[in-house]
Amino acid sequence: MDEIQRKDFLRTKLFTSESVTEGHPDKLCDCVSDAELDALFAQDPFSRCACEVTAEPGCLKIMGEITTKAHVDYEKIARDTIRKIGYDKDEYGFNADTIRIEVSLHEQSSDIARGVDIAAESQGNGGNELGAGDQGMMFGFACNQTEELMPLPISLAHALTQRLTEVRKSGRFPYLRPDGKSQVTVEYDGDMPLRVHTVVISAQHDPNIRTEKIYKDIVQDVILETIPNVLVDGNTIIYVNPTGRFVLGGPAADTGLTGRKIIVDTYGGYARHGGGAFSGKDPTKVDRSASYMARYLAKNVVAAGAAQRCEIQLSYAIGVARPVSVMVDTFGTGVVSDELIMQAICDTVELTPSAIIGKLQLRTPFYSGTSAYGHFGANCKELPWEKCDIAAEILARIKKTRD
């Protein structure tokens, strides 16, 4: 690092997030996992599903634990999903119509099912409360940096990969292939975004297209069409396919696996993550459902004006309905103490798996829409956990407690 670069890094606060397209090998696996889950839920909303997928050159494997009354064609669902993503030519090294697909599924462990079917609090008293499907901690986050109350770097990174996919699928740039990545570095003054410092785009392409054309097209029709003008200036650094060539991509270049892009799925590293992946899991798995609830609560706290930033942690024990702990951190931006905000939240919503599933309508087959471009924010703005419908109630409880 030269002296000018060193001073630049010392003078400013920079934060970077990345996103990947649906054609990325890991995201392709997420998409197949959630497509299988949606197919099960379309027939049996009480299906138990933990579907894991791996993809490699010429082969896709579907594994995991599924207990259901539904009858679905797992192989056909996978091929249809892969074809929709765009892997439909042998020259891509991964073709929906010619790859080998292996299906290896079994039912959920009876030991796990026992705790999920009837929570510890309900056993022996005739209750039917669901228990958490596993132990663990889940985080939700919101901040006032964007309209959707997400950190700016991950919002821009997702918008870029969505635009990259749009110009490919529309035929505007027919030389593009399904795999791709974006990375956005934002310069901050404290917690206030000032400008975009660096943008990186890696776009898979046909072998005979000139590097100069790719650069010009991506800059003009992806980057500058996506990032607001007020955030880009003459000093913004732009890299497009920095290695100079990105022909071989997707599962032909790198093995894919469900659940390996958990930071891309959430807040781009701007907030903490409990570690559990989402895709392919039914909502009795609190890795998914409690993360959605934590985001819902954090977003409503910020939407209510109770804080500028809010992070919520929920933790559970397997087979137990009520959370082991609830934590609120507003990083000093709350209008009242974090403890009072936590009390307002707990007075407003129930945090058992059954209550979360009901409140957020999580037995609905809408999960394929979450598989790529983020489970939170603009990509999922119509889904229940992105609504701000309890903000007024939370604020009223905070005011009542404060008064």
Side-chain angles (χ1 to χ4, degrees):
M1 184 180 296
D2 61 31
E3 184 64 19
I4 295 176
Q5 286 181 309
R6 189 183 71 83
K7 288 181 179 179
D8 185 39
F9 278 99
L10 290 175
R11 186 172 58 249
T12 60
K13 173 184 173 182
L14 304 176
F15 193 89
T16 302
S17 294
E18 72 162 349
S19 178
V20 298
T21 66
E22 61 203 52
H24 183 280
D26 295 329
K27 270 289 140 218
L28 178 145
C29 293
D30 287 342
C31 290
V32 172
S33 291
D34 276 334
E36 304 289 5
L37 174 62
D38 278 350
L40 294 170
F41 267 24
Q43 295 183 37
D44 177 10
F46 293 91
S47 297
R48 298 280 173 80
C49 180
C51 181
E52 309 284 346
V53 173
T54 63
E56 58 185 287
C59 181
L60 182 121
K61 299 176 183 178
I62 304 170
M63 304 166 287
E65 303 82 44
I66 294 177
T67 303
T68 185
K69 295 179 182 178
H71 298 281
V72 303
D73 188 336
Y74 297 104
E75 180 176 333
K76 182 179 185 303
I77 292 165
R79 291 190 190 280
D80 288 347
T81 302
I82 296 164
R83 190 180 302 109
K84 183 179 178 182
I85 289 171
Y87 286 108
D88 54 3
K89 298 179 181 179
D90 285 335
E91 64 188 275
Y92 293 170
F94 197 79
N95 184 343
D97 297 312
T98 58
I99 60 170
R100 184 176 81 257
I101 294 183
E102 300 176 8
V103 180
S104 178
L105 298 168
H106 56 278
E107 291 193 343
Q108 185 181 62
S109 159
S110 59
D111 289 344
I112 295 175
R114 179 177 182 273
V116 177
D117 293 338
I118 303 177
E121 298 97 318
S122 295
Q123 293 181 16
N125 62 14
N128 59 358
E129 184 73 59
L130 288 174
D134 202 352
Q135 71 175 46
M137 64 283 189
M138 302 83 206
F139 288 93
F141 181 78
C143 63
N144 61 2
Q145 293 180 20
T146 61
E147 181 180 349
E148 60 270 24
L149 303 184
M150 287 285 286
L152 182 60
I154 189 65
S155 289
L156 292 177
H158 284 322
L160 287 168
T161 51
Q162 285 181 299
R163 177 65 178 169
L164 193 61
T165 298
E166 179 186 329
V167 296
R168 171 178 63 87
K169 286 188 170 182
S170 69
R172 183 172 180 80
F173 299 144
Y175 60 80
L176 290 177
R177 294 182 175 185
D179 200 355
K181 288 185 175 183
S182 70
Q183 185 171 287
V184 178
T185 301
V186 173
E187 181 180 333
Y188 285 84
D189 179 5
D191 293 321
M192 180 180 294
L194 298 177
R195 57 184 287 274
V196 170
H197 181 279
T198 303
V199 178
V200 183
I201 297 285
S202 295
Q204 187 188 13
H205 58 86
D206 289 345
N208 298 321
I209 192 75
R210 292 183 298 108
T211 301
E212 296 77 14
K213 178 170 175 54
I214 298 173
Y215 183 90
K216 180 181 177 181
D217 287 347
I218 296 298
V219 170
Q220 293 297 324
D221 287 85
V222 176
I223 297 174
L224 297 182
E225 283 291 321
T226 301
I227 299 178
N229 292 337
V230 294
L231 295 174
V232 180
D233 57 35
N235 293 319
T236 297
I237 301 167
I238 295 176
Y239 296 106
V240 176
N241 286 1
T243 66
R245 180 179 170 87
F246 185 9
V247 173
L248 189 64
D254 188 11
T255 300
L257 177 65
T258 298
R260 202 154 55 180
K261 284 290 177 284
I262 57 177
I263 301 303
V264 170
D265 287 341
T266 52
Y267 308 102
Y270 203 90
R272 285 173 282 196
H273 194 294
F278 303 156
S279 290
K281 294 180 180 178
D282 77 83
T284 65
K285 281 74 173 173
V286 284
D287 279 343
R288 185 169 215 164
S289 55
S291 294
Y292 288 179
M293 176 54 84
R295 161 64 178 172
Y296 175 66
L297 296 174
K299 185 173 185 181
N300 275 270
V301 167
V302 175
Q308 296 175 33
R309 299 171 62 196
C310 182
E311 185 177 73
I312 292 176
Q313 185 200 57
L314 305 175
S315 67
Y316 292 83
I318 187 169
V320 179
R322 286 185 289 273
V324 173
S325 67
V326 180
M327 183 277 293
V328 173
D329 188 351
T330 61
F331 308 93
T333 69
V335 298
V336 295
S337 70
D338 292 346
E339 290 75 18
L340 288 180
I341 294 176
M342 181 185 71
Q343 187 61 55
I345 287 171
C346 292
D347 289 343
T348 302
V349 295
E350 290 287 336
L351 295 173
T352 65
S354 294
I356 292 172
I357 290 169
K359 177 67 177 177
L360 301 182
Q361 306 165 43
L362 296 181
R363 295 199 186 278
T364 307
F366 49 33
Y367 292 101
S368 290
T370 71
S371 306
Y373 314 114
H375 291 248
F376 311 123
N379 181 56
C380 296
K381 61 183 177 182
E382 302 301 326
L383 294 177
W385 56 89
E386 286 298 309
K387 294 180 179 178
C388 298
D389 53 356
I390 59 170
E393 185 175 356
I394 289 175
L395 186 60
R397 290 185 185 277
I398 289 172
K399 289 181 177 178
K400 183 178 179 180
T401 304
R402 182 176 57 187
D403 296 342

